[in-house]
Amino acid sequence: MATVVKDEVKENIPQNFNQEEQGDANSNSGTTPWRQFFTDPNLVALIETALKNNQELMITLQEIEIAKSGVLAKKGRLTPTVSAGIGAGVSKVGRYTSEGAGDASTEIEPGKEMPDPLGNFEGGLTANWEVDIWKKLRTEKESAIAHYLSTVEGKNFVLSNLIEEIADNYYELLALDNQLDIIQQYTKLQEKALEISKIQKEAAAATELAVKKFEAELAKSKATEYTIRQQITEKENEINALCGRYPQTVVRLKGDFMAMIPQTVYTGIPSQLLANRPDIKQAELELKSSKLDVEAARKEFYPTLEISATLGLEAFKPSYLVKLPESMAAGLVGELAGPLINKSAIKANFQTADARQIQSLYEYDKTILNAYLDVANLMSKVKNIDQYYKLKSDETKALEQSIDIANQLFRNSRADYLEVLLNQRDALDAKMELVEAKQKQLSTVVDIYKSLGGGWK
């Protein structure tokens, strides 16, 4: 049943991310290796450091080792278990029992009776083997293999997320650097405006109120500068945490930020997400593993065939152990047994495995749906943020021109301080928002690259 529903999930995926546009199966940025997608050498160096030192990635690698050990454990159950051992003991039975009477009348050698108490010394090999007549153990091994492969895909998903986080935080750091430059330029502008207002006050062309307003605006811009500096420190340490290192300066070139051109992203067709995105492949393998677990749990109701064999030496006196073949002991037992009554534990395990299979199916369906929605949303965001950036750029240019005009009018006493302040504040806000728009442009491209399954190759 699960296989049929899984195939239906695949068939229900739309042919295109946008009904108005046709996807090109030959162009998919998700297949591009991250070293080719990111061209900033400082960003590439950060990613390389994170891939070596990130703690979450190291934890995930150990999950793979655990799953690999699980495969070896299941594989080991398919072969006989052989153990070696030695033992020694002593026993005394009642004289008037069948065993005691038999021992008393038995002569080991002429004139020598059995010792009392009777010792027992032994050593040998014991083998146990559960014959996999219903292929239950093979099914469990296949389930463990599927789970192991899912942990590998989980590692790939962690890689993809890690690279996305590094790139996003790197661009946010560059944006903060540029905003710091803007606020510092704004502070210098306010210092000049304050000097002009003081001169105009002395010339009776302005009042003390104008001076105080410019002083307040200057103090506000300086306070904002310290806020941005703190944000830079925190962002640097966030990147350092992802790189698995203690606080240090993150190397970057902030001057080229506004000139950066986002990568062109090609989405391909939605069905390619099944092969490109590690989280989808992980969910599919977990679904396969859970289906095999149901099969193995069902076979617990069947009888099991176990074979035991022993071969060794046994005697009541250590010196007799070397007397062959008299001291040799061997045994072979085959047992076929199955549950008859009180199967509640087996039924509970089966029901648990069945519920986990259904849960894995829903998880698989949800992962595919979320992957499709991620790409569709980010495609729309790329287009809208590009238009937003263009309009913000036009707004910034217009306001920069208005600042020059307002300052000129203020020097000539043809405009009051409020007009100058409002123009400067509007221009500051526009520049800050323009930097944020550039950062969103770059980060959105990174996000869609990751959503298409890129970053782990």
Side-chain angles (χ1 to χ4, degrees), residues 130-352:
E130 181 181 346
V131 183
D132 194 20
I133 54 178
W134 312 112
K135 296 185 177 180
K136 181 191 73 173
L137 299 180
R138 288 183 178 86
T139 302
E140 291 179 349
K141 186 190 78 169
E142 291 173 4
S143 173
I145 291 173
H147 177 65
Y148 162 72
L149 293 175
S150 77
T151 60
V152 174
E153 295 299 337
K155 180 264 296 181
N156 293 336
F157 189 57
V158 171
L159 280 175
S160 186
N161 282 333
L162 176 61
I163 291 173
E164 179 199 29
E165 284 188 75
I166 290 287
D168 283 345
N169 281 287
Y170 180 76
Y171 291 138
E172 289 177 16
L173 181 59
L174 292 180
L176 288 170
D177 286 338
N178 280 263
Q179 288 181 332
L180 180 61
D181 289 341
I182 291 171
I183 201 66
Q184 288 174 340
Q185 293 170 8
Y186 183 72
T187 299
K188 292 179 180 178
L189 187 64
Q190 292 308 311
E191 289 173 347
K192 291 180 180 178
L194 178 59
E195 292 176 4
I196 294 172
S197 65
K198 288 180 177 179
I199 293 172
Q200 288 189 332
K201 179 194 170 187
E202 293 176 358
T207 64
E208 181 69 16
L209 180 60
V211 175
K212 294 302 180 184
K213 282 289 185 180
F214 282 115
E215 286 180 350
E217 191 68 16
L218 178 60
K220 180 182 177 182
S221 63
K222 288 183 178 179
T224 304
E225 179 180 341
Y226 286 106
T227 300
I228 296 176
R229 288 185 183 277
Q230 177 61 27
Q231 291 174 343
I232 289 174
T233 299
E234 293 176 0
K235 188 59 62 178
E236 281 188 317
N237 287 335
E238 194 171 341
I239 293 174
N240 286 324
L242 291 172
C243 292
R245 63 190 188 186
Y246 287 97
Q248 57 184 273
T249 301
V250 174
V251 180
R252 71 269 192 189
L253 294 175
K254 61 183 179 180
D256 298 333
F257 179 69
M258 297 305 293
M260 286 183 178
I261 300 175
Q263 288 269 20
T264 301
V265 179
Y266 302 99
T267 59
I269 56 178
S271 60
Q272 291 175 329
L273 292 176
L274 301 176
N276 292 341
R277 281 191 55 138
D279 56 334
I280 294 180
K281 291 192 284 185
Q282 181 184 18
E284 184 173 3
L285 287 166
E286 284 295 340
L287 177 58
K288 179 182 178 181
S289 176
S290 63
K291 180 186 176 185
L292 292 169
D293 285 340
V294 172
E295 292 183 20
R298 183 185 291 110
K299 291 172 182 176
E300 290 288 348
F301 291 99
Y302 304 159
T304 57
L305 175 60
E306 293 187 0
I307 298 176
S308 299
T310 58
L311 177 64
L313 303 174
E314 187 175 16
F316 63 83
K317 191 175 181 182
S319 61
Y320 289 159
L321 287 173
V322 296
K323 290 188 176 184
L324 300 176
E326 289 84 356
S327 63
M328 287 190 64
L332 179 65
V333 178
E335 182 180 18
L336 182 66
L340 294 178
I341 60 175
N342 194 13
K343 303 178 184 178
S344 57
I346 299 176
K347 289 179 180 178
N349 289 335
F350 175 76
Q351 291 170 355
T352 299

